[in-house]
Amino acid sequence: MTGGESVYAGPPERLDRAVAAVAEVSRTAARGLIAAGAVFLNRQRCKVASRTVRPGDRLRVGSAIGEPPAAPLLSILYEAADVVAIDKPAGMPSAPTQQAATGTALAALTAQMTAPGGSAPRLWVVHRLDAATSGVLVFATTQAAAAELSEAFRLQRVRKRYLALVAAAPSTAEGRIELALGAQRGRAVVEASGRAALTLWRVRERRATATLLEVEPQSGRMHQIRVHLAAIGHPILGDRLYDGPPAPRLMLHAAAVTLARADGDVCIEAPAPF
């Protein structure tokens, strides 16, 4: 049996033996469950088969493929009849990809918006943020809105404003970066034969060891802000792909998205995390 939490009532025993007894599986299968991360001892995931389980300990066994942690509670920034926007945490993929099929913002928001006992809502992905980037992420809740917003993002009719903490101090208060970009092995590269790309920036705050920039991409190329800032000598902190100085995370945040809707512009903002 797998699923709910139980209070262990047997004699002190190795975890794999206790799991075999509680889940009614072989000891080999129990070890597989433990290795898969599907076993929780006193509400903590435990992968040590030799750990001793004592009477009164709480034991929970998930499925053989491992029980994923509960989806994080997302901050909903804006919600209308056909649109919902969240503050995506850094490190969370926007939607499933070949590299990240689970743990996505799409899955977490779907779970969060599903009423107990109800059916899951249909959400449409209309744009994406890099997994390492935090901030405003917009989803459509109707097919009509999905078509409208996807087209708006594709045609650059959506205004986007980012915050980036960069190395060194720019010599001017603002500037523009107009460098064509191509792609090589999953990286954006500056190359004359690439696609046109324009990024506007201005200094928002000069700090002791870094500078906070407000950045507005005027085109939507892959990693555009990251590679453009690196190209002018100001890589983003934590950007290992483009030689940024070490930091706990990629210091890039989608601070605001402005949508042009039929009843007027909607500006959605996410609080600055750094």
Side-chain angles (χ1 to χ4, degrees):
M1 179 186 72
T2 63
E5 184 179 79
S6 61
V7 178
Y8 182 70
E13 188 59 275
R14 284 173 52 105
L15 181 62
D16 54 354
R17 292 183 184 275
V19 169
V22 169
E24 299 176 351
V25 297
S26 69
R27 192 172 172 190
T28 299
R31 287 174 175 168
L33 287 163
I34 294 167
V39 175
F40 295 76
L41 181 59
N42 295 324
R43 300 180 179 173
Q44 298 291 322
R45 194 186 305 273
C46 184
K47 292 189 175 184
V48 182
S50 61
R51 180 72 56 80
T52 300
V53 182
R54 305 183 186 281
D57 283 348
R58 295 180 178 275
L59 189 62
R60 179 160 61 93
V61 183
S63 66
I65 59 172
E67 183 173 311
L73 190 64
L74 299 169
S75 174
I76 295 180
L77 302 169
Y78 175 80
E79 191 169 6
D82 56 359
V83 174
V84 60
I86 65 167
D87 186 358
K88 186 188 80 66
M92 175 182 282
S94 297
T97 64
Q98 290 184 343
Q99 293 74 32
T102 61
T104 67
L106 174 61
L109 183 60
T110 299
Q112 187 169 322
M113 294 180 66
T114 302
S119 57
R122 177 73 188 275
L123 299 176
W124 281 262
V125 179
V126 297
H127 74 124
R128 299 179 186 235
L129 294 177
D130 293 342
T133 304
S134 60
V136 181
L137 184 63
V138 179
F139 297 91
T141 58
T142 69
Q143 192 166 11
E148 173 200 333
L149 292 172
S150 295
E151 184 72 354
F153 275 100
R154 186 182 72 82
L155 296 176
Q156 303 300 314
R157 293 174 180 165
V158 177
R159 183 178 176 185
K160 294 173 282 186
R161 176 165 48 85
Y162 288 76
L163 294 177
L165 196 60
V166 303
S171 58
T172 59
E174 59 184 32
R176 56 188 284 137
I177 308 167
E178 196 164 4
L179 295 170
L181 298 177
Q184 293 180 6
R185 300 179 181 177
R187 286 171 50 103
V189 293
V190 174
E191 58 182 17
S193 61
R195 301 175 68 188
L198 172 62
T199 302
L200 307 180
W201 62 266
R202 70 178 184 86
V203 173
R204 180 158 169 174
E205 181 184 348
R206 296 184 187 273
R207 301 180 181 179
T209 58
T211 302
L212 183 64
L213 300 182
E214 193 170 276
V215 184
E216 291 192 20
Q218 304 299 296
S219 46
R221 312 303 178 214
M222 180 183 76
H223 298 174
Q224 176 177 319
I225 294 173
R226 297 165 64 179
V227 71
H228 265 182
L229 291 175
I232 65 168
H234 299 291
I236 300 172
L237 273 60
D239 195 348
R240 291 179 294 179
L241 191 61
Y242 298 104
D243 301 319
R249 52 157 289 191
L250 174 68
M251 296 300 188
L252 180 63
H253 178 69
V257 167
T258 301
L259 307 175
R261 308 302 310 276
D263 54 352
D265 288 356
V266 175
C267 182
I268 307 166
E269 296 184 299
F274 47 76

